[in-house]
Amino acid sequence: MKWSGRWLLGGLMLAAVPLAARVIIEGFDHPQHQSLFVSCTTCHQGAATAGAALWPKPADCATCHDGTVQKRVDWTPRTGPPPSNLRFDHGTHANAVRKRAGADSTLDCAACHSARGAPWMTVSRAVVQNCLACHGIAASHLDAPDSACATCHVPLWQAPAVPEARLASWSAPASHQAPDFAAGGHGKLAKGESCATCHARDYCATCHVNAPEEPTIQALAADRRSLAIRVGTIAEPASHRRPDFLKRHGKDLGGKAAVSCTVCHTQESCSACHLAPPSRLQLLPVAGPGRAAGARIERYRPASHGIDFSDAHKAPASADPQTCAGCHTREQCIECHRPNAAAQGGYHPRDFLSRHPVAAYSQEVSCGSCHNTSQFCQTCHQQSGIVATATLGSKANYHDAKNSFLLGHGQAARQSLESCVSCHAERDCLTCHAAPAVGGRGFDPHGPGFDANRLRSKNSQMCTACHGNVIPTAP
Amino acid sequence: MKGSSLRLLGAGAILLSTARIAGAQVGYRGTIDARMQTLAFRGWALDSVLASQVAPGVGGGLVSPDGYAVDCPSGSGRCYFYRPGPRQNVAPLGSTVDLTMWGLGISGLSLHGNARVLLNAGSVDWVGTDPTFQLWEAYAEYAQPAFAARLGRQLFTSRLGVAGLDGALATIRSSSRGLSATVYGGFGLARNAPVPITSDVVNPLGEFRPPERNSIFGAMGAWSSGAADVRVDWQREVDRAANKLASDRLAASATLRPAERWSLTGGAEYNLAEGVWGSADASLRYTAPWIGASAGYRRYRPFFDLWSIWVAFSPVPYNSVVGSANLTPVRGLQLRGRVEYYAFEAADAPSGLVEVESDGTRWSAGATLTRLRNWALDVGYSIDNGVGARGGGWDASVGWTPTTRLSLRGYGATLDRPLELRFDDTDVRWAGLDAELRLQRDLSFGLGGMYVYENHHRPDASAFDWDQVRITAHVTYVLGSSGADRLGLPKAVERMPSVVGTGR
């Protein structure tokens, strides 16, 4: 027997040689040693005896792994709290199992650490399904109800040895995969202690702008490690996809839905669009330390701002300028409506200098909406030589594409009078159109819609420019 | 005026400094923007020769000895013509400062200023650079939910245009009912200028003008709800020297939203002084995520002050029908198109000697592609078969944004532009590159260059080709007491902070 034991030990040693590379540093290869131990408590005395060490001492390993019989191993038993958030005490569980299975550590330990029917010392960390079975939870681990977490787990803050890396590797329960879980479903579940199994206040505050004011979140302990669990992308709520959302969201903020706005939005997220912040903004929290940044709003061009909106915005901007003020400052209006001589482009397309004769002749848009035409047009036309400088007919005919343009310019003048006055002064026209009494040639310039009596009653000074002091009375 | 404006800005700066020292919760938002551009233009120079020197040219008309078509007024003894003018280089440099301050110790009180300094480094003046210092706005505003008032130089915007005044404005409003009413009055500024009408700056040809500043006053009433916005404006200007009307106008604007995705907007102006309708428009619009379309009517009639003689020349309006649509068949590709037909009302100025068109069309089409990451491609074509001129050509651009801080944009275009009222068929080609660098969130630079080639076709010696390089540059700095509300319009998308993952 003695020799047979030695041969057995020697055989095991020989068998162990090719596996020398399997010397476990962070753990222990239990199956490799299954022929050496008949009891778990040989090494794990603390699993059965209160106050005893749970792990073997290095000297226990060195009994064989002395560098001669076996290669030395580097083993240091863990000290301090376990790197786990299990709500577990070996003594309590061992007693419970012992009552059921008898004082046999091989059976007691295997109840949790071995799968049913597994060979001796084929152990692992506690088999979760065994825990669930004993505790009456008829579901797989991650399918268990959220309310059951606390059965086996302590809150994260009570498990200080759990490293962030391990925390980040934990899988999320099936309930967390529900489509509406991130957007709102989790709030209905976040009532008990279960959330605290993996999460802490810091985690909630990642998204919840109103975390400082939310009792459920404040009930959680603070723990920065909880940030190791990453948050999935959170889509905007369905309400935000309503076609009239942009138009109506201000009213929502003022109503019962205001509370839900505060979950994701700070005042600053409104300021991203509302350059003139509405008074209802005060209902939202102010961004700052200790508070999540919340939904990041980036402005976009509203659907109403179609391709020709720069030309078509007059009516809506006139009807409700407050809507414009939601996104646009007066400065921006001025920037377009008061053109900057030092800037190229802007409202007009590039090289509008070349394009502008067409747009101006046909009055594509009103030049006078933004430009003081007498200043803007005449200044440049003067410098370009495109301006009448003397009595008509005494110099070259600029309009040389139309023979006798002077004699037939009436239609062009009435259609594009703004273009005419960009080159011509009033005196050019008075040469012919003033009454003979004041030195003109008496060509009547008055056309359709001219109400002489009405205009004379409004401003007779204008009449005297052509008629002098003898203003005829219209029939 | 210039001195008082500078003093006003100085007072604002002192107030800001004082408030900060005193520990007041002064908030401010400002923009300092400096821009410059260089460009050149070339007009026409009037010249003449003795009548005895001209001779019939190829087309039968008289030309000068060096080939210019001439016009020989009877009895003058000289013949006149236009030769290409000298090259005129301009290089305007402008800096705009916009500043808003609040938290001045009185809740609801704020100060606003907008001023611009313009210099010209070119050989001739460039439009809009005179006067050098331009104070557009400088006013104090006191605003409460139901009441607001402004005092100082301000711009009042309405359907009737942007009116500048040195005066006061008061508004009462009920947010719950969507109602507001505004009255304003003061001394007016010249239309679209930072100076009064008495300034030489706005009267380069020495036309008739009032010797004193006009007074301006008006009123506005508005109602706004989820289904409709309606506003009525009345504005009157008085020539104080003559104690006569300079203008008297009424306007109404409305937006109706009868159904989801549909809106009807429009408005009209009525000239109370002349007793005629002015410009008007109405547009029915449908907007959906992948398509947008509008159809509308537009009428344009220029407006002139009563102190000028132009009112008596009876400008006639044109009426047009407009349609536009944009389509997004696949994400990242947008197609667009617009068409307009317009016709002037009867001018009642028949002449068999000169034929002038009275109607025209404008249409354009284009596509924008943004499917490629960081790239944006755009191409468009437009034609304006107008009255008095015709223009048409291609525009194309390629934008590349390799980082959020840098964007580059190359572009090119063609323009063919015959003018109806003079022998001048011009074709222009240009291409350029713009770079925009956002050095910090609130500091950006821009630099651009464009090469322009211009060719004037004429049947005489006035035809000429020439080219030029135009440079643009700008620096924009945005400053403010808090960061969130002082940056410009960013790009789209709403999403949560950049925490991504699968919820493990």
Side-chain angles (χ1 to χ4, degrees):
Chain A
M1 183 69 186
K2 185 176 180 181
W3 277 102
S4 61
R6 287 177 181 172
W7 278 108
L8 176 62
L9 184 61
L12 288 173
M13 290 166 55
L14 288 172
V17 170
L19 299 176
R22 289 181 57 196
V23 172
I24 307 301
I25 302 302
E26 295 181 353
F28 180 76
D29 192 346
H30 284 85
Q32 182 67 25
H33 296 76
Q34 63 181 331
S35 300
L36 299 181
F37 303 103
V38 294
S39 168
C40 302
T41 53
T42 304
C43 295
H44 305 289
Q45 190 178 356
T49 306
L54 183 63
W55 308 103
K57 296 187 290 292
D60 296 337
C61 301
T63 304
C64 296
H65 294 277
D66 60 355
T68 302
V69 178
Q70 284 287 339
K71 185 178 180 180
R72 288 185 181 278
V73 294
D74 184 14
W75 160 249
T76 304
R78 194 189 69 221
T79 57
S84 158
N85 67 338
L86 281 177
R87 185 188 297 280
F88 183 79
D89 173 68
H90 267 106
T92 306
H93 279 76
N95 286 334
V97 174
R98 198 174 295 130
K99 288 177 183 174
R100 194 170 61 236
D104 184 341
S105 71
T106 60
L107 297 176
D108 298 346
C109 297
C112 292
H113 292 281
S114 290
R116 190 181 300 273
W120 168 239
M121 281 188 72
T122 303
V123 297
S124 64
R125 294 185 182 279
V127 177
V128 177
Q129 209 55 44
N130 293 346
C131 305
L132 297 173
C134 281
H135 286 283
I137 300 170
S140 64
H141 184 203
L142 297 179
D143 289 332
D146 287 333
S147 57
C149 300
T151 303
C152 299
H153 298 285
V154 298
L156 180 65
W157 69 272
Q158 291 180 10
V162 175
E164 290 185 25
R166 175 171 293 182
L167 188 57
S169 71
W170 288 350
S171 297
S175 63
H176 291 33
Q177 311 299 338
D180 68 333
F181 183 79
H186 70 286
K188 298 169 187 168
L189 301 174
K191 302 299 181 188
E193 198 181 48
S194 291
C195 301
T197 301
C198 304
H199 304 295
R201 185 193 307 164
D202 306 67
Y203 175 81
C204 303
T206 302
C207 296
H208 283 268
V209 166
N210 63 339
E213 293 82 26
E214 179 54 56
T216 306
I217 296 174
Q218 289 304 306
L220 296 170
D223 195 325
R224 298 288 296 174
R225 290 175 302 155
S226 63
L227 300 178
I229 296 179
R230 308 196 73 186
V231 182
T233 300
I234 299 174
E236 60 190 350
S239 63
H240 290 37
R241 292 191 284 271
R242 284 192 327 235
D244 62 342
F245 177 72
L246 278 181
K247 179 72 181 175
R248 290 186 50 83
H249 72 285
K251 291 184 173 62
D252 292 342
L253 177 58
K256 294 178 180 176
V259 174
S260 62
C261 303
T262 64
V263 173
C264 298
H265 296 282
T266 63
Q267 291 186 14
E268 281 64 24
S269 67
C270 298
S271 301
C273 290
H274 290 277
L275 293 181
S279 56
R280 290 170 185 163
L281 199 69
Q282 306 300 325
L283 296 171
L284 297 175
V286 180
R291 196 183 292 282
R296 189 171 61 197
I297 305 299
E298 296 185 349
R299 276 178 286 198
Y300 61 94
R301 192 181 175 97
S304 62
H305 292 26
I307 52 172
D308 57 347
F309 192 71
S310 56
D311 291 331
H313 73 284
K314 183 176 182 178
S318 299
D320 186 17
Q322 285 305 112
T323 297
C324 308
C327 295
H328 300 285
T329 62
R330 291 169 58 79
E331 174 198 358
Q332 290 172 308
C333 301
I334 295 171
E335 200 60 36
C336 265
H337 283 281
R338 295 290 175 275
N340 187 344
Q344 188 184 73
Y347 165 76
H348 293 302
R350 288 185 180 281
D351 197 22
F352 193 68
L353 188 63
S354 297
R355 302 180 199 247
H356 86 278
V358 184
Y361 266 135
S362 63
Q363 298 167 104
E364 181 180 1
V365 293
S366 171
C367 305
S369 290
C370 305
H371 302 286
N372 185 290
T373 49
S374 63
Q375 173 200 29
F376 197 83
C377 307
Q378 289 177 358
T379 300
C380 193
H381 287 183
Q382 271 189 314
Q383 294 175 164
S384 306
I386 311 173
V387 64
T389 54
T391 306
L392 292 179
S394 63
K395 293 286 177 66
N397 178 18
Y398 177 81
H399 301 287
D400 54 359
K402 297 289 182 184
N403 292 327
S404 307
F405 181 78
L406 179 63
L407 300 177
H409 69 279
Q411 183 185 348
R414 285 196 176 136
Q415 290 182 173
S416 303
L417 194 53
E418 282 179 312
S419 295
C420 302
V421 304
S422 68
C423 301
H424 293 282
E426 289 170 307
R427 61 172 176 269
D428 297 335
C429 304
L430 292 178
T431 301
C432 295
H433 289 292
V438 292
R441 294 170 185 163
F443 289 98
D444 183 2
H446 306 320
F450 181 76
D451 187 340
N453 292 333
R454 184 186 188 99
L455 287 172
R456 186 173 61 176
S457 68
K458 301 295 182 183
N459 191 340
S460 57
Q461 183 119 341
M462 168 185 60
C463 307
T464 62
C466 295
H467 295 285
N469 293 325
V470 186
I471 304 172
T473 303
Chain B
M1 177 54 64
K2 181 177 175 180
S4 62
S5 302
L6 287 170
R7 282 194 294 274
L8 194 59
L9 284 182
I14 293 171
L15 184 59
L16 175 62
S17 307
T18 306
R20 296 187 76 172
I21 293 169
Q25 295 296 314
V26 175
Y28 61 96
R29 183 180 65 224
T31 305
I32 302 173
D33 179 79
R35 293 177 184 269
M36 64 85 62
Q37 64 168 328
T38 67
L39 64 125
F41 56 93
R42 189 178 183 186
W44 305 98
L46 187 62
D47 205 347
S48 68
V49 294
L50 291 173
S52 58
Q53 294 178 303
V54 302
V58 177
L62 298 174
V63 297
S64 68
D66 46 2
Y68 291 101
V70 298
D71 188 28
C72 305
S74 59
S76 163
R78 300 192 69 82
C79 294
Y80 297 87
F81 63 95
Y82 287 94
R83 64 169 69 247
R87 182 187 183 97
Q88 312 272 26
N89 295 306
V90 294
L93 171 66
S95 179
T96 305
V97 177
D98 181 83
L99 182 66
T100 301
M101 295 167 54
W102 60 93
L104 303 168
I106 301 175
S107 177
L109 178 65
S110 58
L111 300 178
H112 305 257
N114 185 292
R116 183 175 289 164
V117 175
L118 285 157
L119 304 171
N120 193 358
S123 57
V124 295
D125 289 339
W126 180 235
V127 289
T129 57
D130 199 11
T132 299
F133 179 79
Q134 301 178 0
L135 181 66
W136 289 102
E137 287 195 308
Y139 64 88
E141 181 177 67
Y142 177 74
Q144 294 295 338
F147 171 79
R150 287 187 205 153
L151 182 65
R153 173 165 293 190
Q154 55 197 289
L155 301 173
F156 179 77
T157 57
S158 72
R159 184 179 182 86
L160 298 172
V162 185
L165 67 146
D166 291 324
L169 175 149
T171 297
I172 56 172
R173 58 199 170 206
S174 168
S175 297
S176 59
R177 294 180 175 85
L179 295 169
S180 69
T182 298
V183 294
Y184 59 91
F187 295 108
L189 298 174
R191 209 167 303 288
N192 300 315
V195 294
I197 191 62
T198 51
S199 169
D200 291 338
V201 168
V202 291
N203 195 19
L205 296 182
E207 298 176 290
F208 303 130
R209 57 174 171 166
E212 295 182 32
R213 296 181 65 174
N214 290 335
S215 59
I216 180 172
F217 46 92
M220 179 276 290
W223 174 69
S224 179
S225 74
D229 304 315
V230 180
R231 175 161 135 161
V232 177
D233 291 280
W234 168 70
Q235 186 180 93
R236 172 177 284 185
E237 291 176 278
V238 175
D239 178 346
R240 292 167 58 234
N243 197 24
K244 302 287 186 183
L245 279 182
S247 70
D248 194 14
R249 293 183 294 160
L250 191 65
S253 309
T255 297
L256 307 178
R257 289 174 283 272
E260 190 176 299
R261 302 188 187 284
W262 290 91
S263 67
L264 178 65
T265 63
E269 300 160 30
Y270 185 75
N271 193 320
L272 293 167
E274 297 181 52
V276 297
W277 287 97
S279 298
D281 62 80
S283 175
L284 180 65
R285 186 175 297 274
Y286 175 79
T287 51
W290 64 278
I291 191 171
S294 72
Y297 158 81
R298 195 161 72 98
R299 168 190 165 96
Y300 177 71
R301 183 182 190 275
F303 160 74
F304 296 99
D305 288 307
L306 290 186
W307 52 260
S308 78
I309 66 168
W310 305 121
V311 172
F313 283 70
S314 305
V316 296
Y318 71 72
N319 299 283
S320 79
V321 288
V322 191
S324 70
N326 60 280
L327 178 69
T328 307
V330 293
R331 188 174 181 180
L333 173 65
Q334 187 185 63
L335 309 176
R336 61 183 184 273
R338 182 180 189 275
V339 62
E340 179 176 13
Y341 169 79
Y342 66 97
F344 281 94
E345 293 181 2
D348 196 16
S351 171
L353 299 173
V354 177
E355 182 184 350
V356 177
E357 294 176 8
S358 61
D359 62 352
T361 57
R362 307 180 182 99
W363 67 267
S364 62
T368 302
L369 180 68
T370 54
R371 287 183 66 86
L372 304 175
R373 182 181 172 85
N374 301 332
W375 289 88
L377 313 177
D378 185 90
V379 63
Y381 185 76
S382 61
I383 276 190
D384 189 339
N385 286 314
V387 173
R390 178 183 180 278
W394 290 91
D395 282 274
S397 69
V398 179
W400 182 46
T401 310
T403 72
T404 56
R405 293 175 178 270
L406 176 67
S407 64
L408 302 171
R409 184 166 176 269
Y411 57 88
T414 68
L415 173 69
D416 297 315
R417 192 202 67 189
L419 302 181
E420 181 189 346
L421 302 179
R422 104 171 246 104
F423 288 118
D424 186 3
D425 288 3
T426 305
D427 61 73
V428 191
R429 308 284 182 264
W430 64 90
L433 179 67
D434 287 344
E436 182 83 18
L437 175 64
R438 184 178 291 277
L439 204 60
Q440 300 171 11
R441 278 171 57 87
D442 44 15
L443 177 64
S444 63
F445 298 88
L447 183 65
M450 177 167 71
Y451 177 80
V452 183
Y453 171 76
E454 190 168 338
N455 187 347
H456 287 253
H457 306 285
R458 274 183 61 96
D460 65 350
S462 288
F464 66 90
D465 297 345
W466 76 311
D467 55 10
Q468 62 175 290
V469 174
R470 297 179 186 168
I471 303 294
T472 61
H474 79 88
V475 178
T476 302
Y477 180 59
V478 183
L479 64 161
S481 52
S482 67
D485 60 348
R486 62 192 170 91
L487 300 176
L489 287 166
K491 290 184 289 185
V493 200
E494 302 173 13
R495 54 192 165 89
M496 290 296 292
S498 56
V499 280
V500 295
T502 56
R504 294 177 60 191

